[in-house]
Amino acid sequence: MSVVAVPAAALAADAVPAKQLFGKQNLPSKQPTQSLGFYAKGCLAGGIAIPVDGPAWQVIHLSRNRRWGNPEMIALIERLGRESKAEDGWNGLMIGDISQPRGGPMLSGHASHQIGLDADIWLTPMPSHTMSYQEREGIPEASVLRRDKMTVDPRKWTKAHERLIVRAASYPQVERVFMHPGIKKKMCDTLEGRDRALLSKMRPIYGHHYHFHIRMKCPSGSENCEDQVDPGPDSGCGKQLTEWLNRVKPRPAVKPTKPTKVVKPKYLMLSALPNACKVVLNAAPVPSMAEAEYRSGNPVQVPVTAYATEDPVAKVIAVASDDFSVFIPPMGSIPQPLVRPAMQ
């Protein structure tokens, strides 16, 4: 019986959760763009970053370094920002997490967002001023729900919120728009005419009471990208929505009779991702002056609470993680694409 030797490096990599391997990557791979695998089990080759500030958006939580995506996704977000500001009475997007520089499992917070085709858009309009670094890091999670956590608060919800979500769902490239069940109910109750056909794309999910989540279809020609099954034609405003709302209905606390068993979470390992993700992980980074400055600058490790500058370009940022630190090059000089896909 023959024995196949496994390289020591491969064994070592698969002893570490994939989120740590991808979370350490500061720059995208120097490869042709590809979204590889599924939204919750994949990676991103040749990703690009959306600019921190645009004519109709500002990116928040810069320390996470999650403003990377497939160029088609970045173009779609930019289009949503421009059109919603010009036509929907929305002052501009506050953009949360898209993906890490090379995608893959994130260090915290998401199961998806792994292939550069998911994005979180906050339900708070962009302020009229350019936010400081500290403002972006500490932006509050402003829920649009009542205290019952089941229905939209009319003091916080506007027609502009509705128009923004409708516009996002109207793009044919968008597969789904995820939102809290209470927001889904509001859309079911108020959408009329042709807009009601978009309700099938609007999917209820917990946690999305201060932001909504756009999921884009695999771009044309993405042979190694796995699409989610298209949502059915049903509006989802009947029994399915009632079941979701019943799950979030407040219930009296019940004292447990037995100690609660703590289940240790299972993390994705590199072997669970497409084989091409190993290549992405080990590929050379996109060359840039920022990278050269970062490599030669011997940055000092600092905790996330020690940020003092309002200028994110002025210093290298260190982000504390589970048992290691991730250094991010100055945000202002991360490579940007000169030409973006036209998505009219």
Side-chain angles (χ1 to χ4, degrees):
M1 181 178 66
S2 61
V3 177
V4 178
V6 179
L11 288 171
D14 216 43
V16 178
K19 67 175 185 175
Q20 293 189 12
L21 300 173
F22 282 93
K24 288 181 178 180
Q25 303 300 317
N26 302 319
L27 290 168
S29 61
K30 188 180 179 183
Q31 295 174 291
T33 297
Q34 289 191 76
S35 290
L36 300 161
F38 189 63
Y39 302 92
K41 191 180 287 186
C43 61
L44 174 66
I48 68 169
I50 191 167
V52 168
D53 298 308
W57 68 83
Q58 294 186 46
V59 181
I60 60 175
H61 297 151
L62 297 178
S63 66
R64 297 181 182 180
N65 199 23
R66 296 177 179 177
R67 60 189 180 100
W68 302 85
N70 186 295
E72 298 285 341
M73 185 64 180
I74 300 301
L76 185 140
I77 297 169
E78 293 180 352
R79 177 185 175 187
L80 176 63
R82 291 192 306 268
E83 293 182 352
S84 61
K85 186 170 186 178
E87 302 176 35
D88 299 330
W90 194 256
N91 196 51
L93 306 180
M94 288 211 299
I95 301 169
D97 293 348
I98 306 173
S99 201
Q100 298 176 138
R102 304 191 191 200
M106 290 188 173
L107 289 168
S108 62
H110 300 284
S112 60
H113 290 258
Q114 294 192 26
I115 58 175
L117 297 175
D118 293 284
D120 288 342
I121 307 297
W122 282 43
L123 288 165
T124 304
M126 181 186 84
S128 298
H129 69 281
T130 300
M131 290 185 287
S132 69
Y133 183 77
Q134 283 84 354
E135 284 180 282
R136 296 170 198 253
E137 290 297 294
I139 199 82
E141 298 175 353
S143 174
V144 296
L145 301 178
R146 287 189 172 109
R147 287 188 177 181
D148 63 9
K149 298 182 180 179
M150 293 180 64
T151 55
V152 165
D153 189 333
R155 297 169 299 176
K156 301 173 182 177
W157 183 263
T158 68
K159 290 297 288 186
H161 285 90
E162 178 183 300
R163 289 191 290 265
L164 172 65
I165 292 175
V166 166
R167 183 171 297 280
S170 72
Y171 297 142
Q173 301 93 339
V174 170
E175 179 73 48
R176 282 168 169 76
V177 179
F178 297 103
M179 62 197 66
H180 189 277
I183 300 174
K184 167 76 176 187
K185 183 179 188 306
K186 180 66 174 178
M187 305 302 274
C188 288
D189 291 345
T190 59
L191 291 190
E192 299 176 346
R194 290 182 298 176
D195 290 344
R196 291 196 67 81
L198 300 172
L199 284 167
S200 63
K201 283 188 179 183
M202 300 178 188
R203 316 300 288 187
I205 194 168
Y206 302 127
H208 291 56
H209 51 91
Y210 61 92
H211 73 280
F212 64 97
H213 174 157
I214 300 172
R215 173 162 293 171
M216 186 179 176
K217 297 178 181 179
C218 291
S220 177
S222 301
E223 297 178 0
N224 298 307
C225 179
E226 183 183 346
D227 259 321
Q228 192 168 3
V229 176
D230 287 341
D234 186 87
S235 68
C237 294
K239 180 182 177 182
Q240 183 188 55
L241 179 57
T242 300
E243 290 174 352
W244 275 96
L245 289 170
N246 284 337
R247 291 176 201 154
V248 298
K249 187 181 295 183
R251 291 180 174 85
V254 178
K255 189 175 181 180
T257 55
K258 295 180 180 180
T260 303
K261 185 179 179 181
V262 178
V263 179
K264 205 170 183 180
K266 294 181 180 179
Y267 298 117
L268 282 176
M269 309 305 282
L270 187 58
S271 59
L273 305 183
N275 287 333
C277 291
K278 298 182 180 70
V279 179
V280 171
L281 196 60
N282 294 312
V286 171
S288 69
M289 286 303 294
E291 186 200 11
E293 293 164 3
Y294 161 64
R295 299 290 180 195
S296 63
N298 297 316
V300 177
Q301 181 173 324
V302 295
V304 70
T305 54
Y307 299 153
T309 179
E310 288 198 358
D311 179 7
V313 181
K315 65 185 283 189
V316 173
I317 302 164
V319 181
S321 186
D322 292 339
D323 56 351
F324 60 88
S325 289
V326 181
F327 292 110
I328 302 174
M331 290 292 175
S333 48
I334 281 179
Q336 301 292 335
L338 297 177
V339 180
R340 297 181 185 278
M343 298 188 69
Q344 303 302 324

